[in-house]
Amino acid sequence: AAALKEAGLGADVIAWAYTSASGDRARDAWEEALLGRALGPQRLALASLAPLLGQHAGLGALRVATAMWTAASGLLVKPAWGPAAADDRTTALVPVGPGPGLVHGVARGGTHVALVVGGPP
């Protein structure tokens, strides 16, 4: 909510988000709940780059770069989860429309970041 306020946007214009989902079910569910409370009942298209690129210190910067591309192109990069994803890097481009989205991350211990990416729709 604070990131949206600072960007001067309402939750209703955010249609997609790159999350910090890592396959840790409890932490991933917590992140989805945080997004649901902040953005309301609309269903966001959510994606995590971790299955495609692995978990590492540079992943946050890669999320921001990918989000800028999504904001301009209207295509969300959605890697597949599961055992096969590690072998073949299965990825889809999901149409979400150009416009603003969110880069979001949480970590055990309470670290939380949210960044609105892209201009007004």
Side-chain angles (χ1 to χ4, degrees), residues 22-63:
S22 63
D24 174 335
R25 290 182 187 178
R27 198 203 57 78
D28 296 350
W30 173 46
E31 184 173 20
E32 280 198 48
L34 285 172
L35 288 168
R37 279 194 302 273
L39 299 174
Q42 84 258 20
R43 186 69 187 142
L44 297 178
L46 301 177
S48 171
L49 298 178
L52 181 63
L53 303 172
Q55 289 286 81
H56 54 82
L59 193 55
L62 292 171
R63 277 190 208 108

Side-chain angles (χ1 to χ4, degrees), residues 18 66 69-77 93-98:
Y18 285 102
T66 305
W69 180 80
T70 297
S73 70
L75 297 170
L76 184 78
V77 179
L93 295 177
V94 178
V96 292

